[in-house]
Every structure is written in C-alpha cells, then in structure tokens.
Amino acid sequence: MALLAETSTGPGPVLVSLQAVQDRFGYVPAEAVSLIADACNVSRADVHGVLTFYADLRTSPPPDVPVRLCAAEACQSVGGRELKRDWERRCGESAELAEATGADEPVFCLGNCALAPAALVGGVLVGRATVEKVESMVRGSLQGSP
Ligand code: FES
C-alpha cells in the first residue's frame, strides 16, 4: 500500500500510519492493522494497542455529521452537562438525528472556553452551543450532503 510506504519509515510510524489510513478512509478498517504491522515491522498487537489507546482513532465509519460536546470544566460550568442531557434527549426523539450524528463522544476542551459551552458539529467549532443551534447545523449539513 503506497500510503504506508510514506508513513512507516518516519518517527512514530504506527501512529502516523494509523492517522494516514483514517484520513484516507474516515476510520481504520480491521484489515489495515496487519498491513500497518507488516509495514512498520511490529506485531499486530502493537498496532492494536496504539489503535485502541487514542480515542480519536476510529475502527468504524464515522456518522454523517459527528457531534462532539465538550465535557471539560469551563463548559460544564455554563451548562455543558445540561446541553449533553438535552442533546441526548433530542436524539432519543429523532431517529434521523441519532443516526446522522452517532453516539456523542465526549471531548475535553476544544480550546473555545470563552464561548462555552462548545461543540464540534461535523468538524465545525460551535460556541455558546445550544440544542437548537447544534440541531440546525446537523440538519443543514444533511441537506447539503448528497
Ligand atoms: S472547556 Fe470546553 S472548550 Fe474549553
């Protein structure tokens, strides 16, 4: 695989290779573990260990519009917990929203504390996030997708 030829010889080759595969495919398919192990000359267990250590590495395709709500202190102090609760409730009411956004994977500080609570909606940073704002962005993304 040409992709791994570039990543398997530099520093931190396993992590860099996993990131390259995820960048290309959106996640790291199970078949990639053996390919990366061979390319980096490490065991499959080594690759699996790195793959499962980093929460940002995915082993399944991402949802259409991933939503990540900040769960760190600054956001919690201005309603982050309530936002998470209300967002989960909203997804429970709408199968379309739940399927499009997948399970909320908490993130700890998005570097947007001054505009807390913060969220990432389809990779876009949102400040002063509300359920209405997040839902509007998700629906807008879905309408814009093919
Ligand atoms: S604590 Fe939420 S963005 Fe920093």
Side-chain angles (χ1 to χ4, degrees):
M1 176 186 252
L3 178 68
L4 298 179
E6 298 172 19
T7 60
S8 62
T9 56
V14 173
L15 179 57
V16 173
S17 296
L18 287 165
Q19 290 170 326
V21 169
Q22 181 161 296
D23 286 349
R24 174 78 58 89
F25 301 106
Y27 71 108
V28 180
E31 310 82 56
V33 171
S34 293
L35 295 172
I36 292 171
D38 290 345
C40 297
N41 197 26
V42 298
S43 71
R44 285 181 294 154
D46 289 333
V47 177
H48 180 76
V50 176
L51 176 59
T52 56
F53 181 80
Y54 292 100
D56 283 338
L57 293 172
R58 306 182 55 85
T59 56
S60 59
D64 291 338
V65 187
V67 171
R68 301 187 77 183
L69 305 176
C70 181
E73 289 78 4
C75 287
Q76 284 187 13
S77 71
V78 292
R81 284 191 188 114
E82 293 78 8
L83 174 62
K84 178 178 174 54
R85 179 198 62 213
D86 294 347
W87 177 247
E88 288 173 348
R89 182 178 302 145
R90 184 69 192 101
C91 287
E93 296 166 352
S94 168
E96 179 190 19
L97 269 184
E99 185 179 321
T101 60
D104 172 43
E105 298 170 15
V107 60
F108 296 93
C109 195
L110 293 165
N112 199 31
C113 312
L115 295 176
L120 268 182
V121 179
V124 176
L125 186 60
V126 180
R128 306 233 191 278
T130 62
V131 167
E132 293 75 21
K133 191 184 280 189
V134 171
E135 180 175 353
S136 173
M137 290 183 71
V138 170
R139 293 197 183 281
S141 291
L142 291 174
Q143 288 174 350
S145 60

